[in-house]
Amino acid sequence: MPSREQILAASAGWVAVLLNVIPGLGAGYLYQRRWKAYWITSALATAWFVAGAVLGQDAEPAAEAQNQLVGLIGLLLLAGGTATEAGLAVKKVREPLDESA
């Protein structure tokens, strides 16, 4: 059974980054088999959706477009942050392997 580090080092960093950006919300973590990071990302995205729904309940129609833009920007920032972290995690695990070669 391969270790967590071996699985992470064997994964393609660019695939994890792309999967966290395009479908977003931690899909790259599923590819890397990083369950804790995936569930944290899912919880943050759910909290963002719930906060937007609660805060936007009594919003005027003019403010609705702005609320949607803020919600989209938040999800894009989450996707960008998770993509960066997924790529850096692969790089961090591979560095000791590169130095010993």
Side-chain angles (χ1 to χ4, degrees):
M1 187 79 162
S3 71
R4 176 190 170 291
E5 288 78 19
Q6 290 170 330
I7 291 171
L8 188 56
S11 68
W14 69 270
V15 173
V17 168
L18 187 64
L19 287 173
N20 274 346
V21 172
I22 300 300
L25 305 180
Y29 292 139
L30 293 175
Y31 167 72
Q32 293 178 324
R33 298 181 185 177
R34 295 177 59 207
W35 309 116
K36 185 177 178 182
Y38 172 75
W39 288 114
I40 290 170
T41 302
S42 295
L44 287 172
T46 301
W48 189 252
F49 279 119
V50 170
V54 169
L55 295 173
Q57 280 181 343
D58 298 326
E60 296 178 16
E64 193 169 321
Q66 182 180 0
N67 290 345
Q68 289 176 353
L69 182 61
V70 168
L72 179 62
I73 289 171
L75 291 176
L76 289 174
L77 288 173
L78 180 62
T82 60
T84 302
E85 194 279 332
L88 290 174
V90 171
K91 183 178 178 183
K92 181 181 174 184
V93 171
R94 287 184 182 170
E95 281 178 354
L97 298 175
D98 292 338
E99 292 172 1
S100 64

